[in-house]
Amino acid sequence: MKILCLNLEQDRERTMISSSPFLISFFLLVSVPVLFVLAPRIMPPKTLPSIPDRDEMDDLALFRRATLASAGGSGGGGLRRRAASPPKIAFMFLTNSDLTFAPLWERFFHGHERLFNVYVHADPSSHLQLPPTPSFRGRFIPAKATQRGSPTLISAARRLLAAALLDDPANAFFALISQHCIPLHSFRFTYHAVLADPGAPPAAHGDGVRRRHRSFIEILAGEPGLMDRYVARGDDVMLPEVSFDQFRVGSQFFILARRHAVLVVRDRRLWKKFKMPCLKSREDSCYPEEHYFPTLLEMQDPEGCSHYTLTRVNWTNSVGGHPHTYRPPEISGDLIKELRKSNSTYSYLFARKFSPDTLDPLLKLADSVIFQD
Ligand SMILES: *[C@@H]1O[C@H](CO)[C@@H](O)[C@H](O)[C@H]1NC(C)=O
Ligand SMILES: *[C@@H]1O[C@H](CO)[C@@H](O)[C@H](O)[C@H]1NC(C)=O
């Protein structure tokens, strides 16, 4: 810039002799800012993969069906329909490879068939075969490719919620479980902890006894690096739908109450922003699935959410966004008891991540420790 200006000064002196060099310099000077304005339109900045249009259209149709089927389901109608069957927990397994811990979960579910449903979203590239056991047999939902650092993980979770909403009106809670996740308590303990939540807010116009179910989802503000995450798709692109002070972060794994599951599946406004791919240059700050759900729920119903998660994760010495993965020598009854301890009034119900070869030592502890309560 400075050099160009100097040229211009010199050119001005020479204008007397000939005006053409001045014109060329002037043209160059003007074209630089014009290029700055136009370049991003002509050549958009490199972005990470986005959602394929086809997948997006399929999802829209599914979400519309789930929303319509649930209309009125969060009010009296839903309660009446649920009265026929006890409330259930929908266990929604999200995997991009295996379901190593299915035998442990099968032991967890055994004997409680009326109180839960299982749904599995497996990345098509995994070619996963579901175990032919009672809880998992035939429980696949139509899945699409998922990738880290892209909004596809949000889509997969929303697809699971929609499928579970449509499948059974008795599904009252929706727990998202990863392939590396294990239960820390018996089914009976888990079911009662979630359904008899003493922290749930009173129903708005209920009979004073019934409480509205609360979602267990981590929602944090003011975390370090939050601004980098906010601008991962570009400066100001989240506006006006989501301002920075409305932007939240939390664990990807949650338990949602039914009315919040409907709210998430119905959302178009925030999704329009969160589905935008991150800029390639901001890849390190791209974790859309850790922001969409906490931000949406905090905007819509903060009092209906716990703000903490019931899934224990060990972030000590984490590398590249991956938490500590437990290996066989670490597995013990004491570890399970340690992992249950939380700072909330609640015990943790689930934990991650566990390497596949911890299955056997965990199965050995199943009856004597994990499912003891
Ligand atoms: C968390 O992980 C670290 C290693 O990164 C380990 O030393 C520590 O024991 C783990 N904490 C618990 C409670 O398992
Ligand atoms: C509980 O809080 C303390 C202090 O903030 C923290 O050091 C500890 O890691 C927390 N424990 C769990 C299980 O979250």
Side-chain angles (χ1 to χ4, degrees):
M1 226 36 177
K2 229 176 211 157
I3 294 167
L4 272 174
C5 289
L6 272 175
N7 280 344
L8 188 63
E9 295 287 314
Q10 289 161 2
D11 286 340
R12 212 172 270 154
E13 286 163 22
R14 265 184 271 142
T15 339
M16 303 294 192
I17 310 157
S18 156
S19 69
S20 66
F22 168 75
L23 278 176
I24 289 166
S25 298
F26 181 75
F27 178 74
L28 279 175
L29 190 70
V30 168
S31 60
V32 169
V34 168
L35 262 178
F36 265 99
V37 172
L38 287 184
R41 284 159 212 237
I42 301 162
M43 295 185 310
K46 281 206 165 63
T47 59
L48 295 172
S50 56
I51 306 254
D53 285 344
R54 236 201 100 96
D55 291 4
E56 183 66 8
M57 272 158 58
D58 289 350
D59 282 350
L60 266 177
L62 170 68
F63 298 167
R64 202 170 291 137
R65 270 196 296 137
T67 305
L68 282 176
S70 308
S74 51
L79 290 176
R80 229 174 295 123
R81 252 182 295 143
R82 277 207 292 275
S85 148
K88 297 179 188 176
I89 301 179
F91 288 84
M92 310 183 300
F93 290 83
L94 185 58
T95 173
N96 60 4
S97 56
D98 54 74
L99 261 185
T100 308
F101 296 109
L104 184 63
W105 285 104
E106 196 62 68
R107 297 255 291 265
F108 170 82
F109 291 133
H110 181 72
H112 302 280
E113 285 67 28
R114 293 178 63 235
L115 302 178
F116 73 91
N117 284 301
V118 165
Y119 305 92
V120 181
H121 185 292
D123 190 298
S125 70
S126 69
H127 303 293
L128 177 71
Q129 307 277 321
L130 283 179
T133 53
S135 310
F136 287 92
R137 184 190 297 125
R139 301 310 294 174
F140 271 137
I141 69 151
K144 311 214 183 265
T146 51
Q147 259 175 312
R148 269 190 108 204
S150 85
T152 52
L153 288 167
I154 303 177
S155 298
R158 296 178 88 205
R159 230 169 265 141
L160 278 162
L161 289 168
L165 281 168
L166 278 168
D167 178 59
D168 191 344
N171 283 331
F173 283 98
F174 301 74
L176 188 63
I177 310 279
S178 98
Q179 72 217 52
H180 305 288
C181 210
I182 65 157
L184 291 175
H185 290 278
S186 68
F187 184 92
R188 189 202 310 268
F189 183 101
T190 305
Y191 184 83
H192 286 290
V194 172
L195 271 110
D197 173 18
H205 26 249
D207 47 19
V209 179
R210 184 180 294 136
R211 292 183 161 266
R212 289 197 309 155
H213 287 152
R214 187 168 63 148
S215 287
F216 298 93
I217 177 169
E218 187 174 45
I219 305 179
L220 304 171
E223 292 291 296
L226 198 59
M227 183 46 108
D228 293 340
R229 302 271 195 111
Y230 179 68
V231 297
R233 296 158 202 83
D235 302 335
D236 296 336
V237 299
M238 301 302 280
L239 294 173
E241 284 81 359
V242 186
S243 65
F244 177 62
D245 54 288
Q246 291 172 307
F247 190 67
R248 294 290 183 274
V249 63
S251 157
Q252 180 192 357
F253 299 96
F254 50 62
I255 305 176
L256 294 191
R258 189 173 178 97
R259 69 178 186 289
H260 290 157
V262 175
L263 191 152
V264 164
V265 167
R266 202 175 49 205
D267 170 59
R268 307 268 286 269
R269 189 176 141 84
L270 260 56
W271 174 240
K272 191 172 75 189
K273 289 301 167 81
F274 280 90
K275 79 173 182 188
M276 296 171 62
C278 296
L279 300 178
K280 185 92 178 75
S281 56
R282 299 181 185 176
E283 190 166 8
D284 292 346
S285 303
C286 189
Y287 298 89
E289 70 284 357
E290 291 185 355
H291 300 279
Y292 174 71
F293 301 97
T295 302
L296 177 61
L297 287 171
E298 181 76 349
M299 287 169 91
Q300 298 278 333
D301 186 14
E303 282 171 13
C305 300
S306 65
H307 291 74
Y308 54 78
T309 176
L310 296 182
T311 302
R312 177 73 178 259
V313 191
N314 182 351
W315 287 108
T316 316
N317 306 328
S318 79
V319 187
H322 293 285
H324 176 69
T325 301
Y326 290 98
R327 317 226 32 127
E330 294 171 271
I331 305 301
S332 70
D334 287 344
L335 176 70
I336 299 296
K337 287 173 190 155
E338 184 60 33
L339 292 178
R340 288 171 175 171
K341 290 181 194 160
S342 82
N343 283 335
S344 71
T345 49
Y346 258 84
S347 168
Y348 282 109
L349 299 179
F350 314 121
R352 58 187 273 269
K353 295 170 82 164
F354 288 77
S355 72
D357 51 0
T358 58
L359 175 65
D360 282 339
L362 284 168
L363 282 173
K364 289 204 183 82
L365 289 178
D367 292 333
S368 59
V369 182
I370 307 177
F371 303 145
Q372 255 301 305
D373 46 17

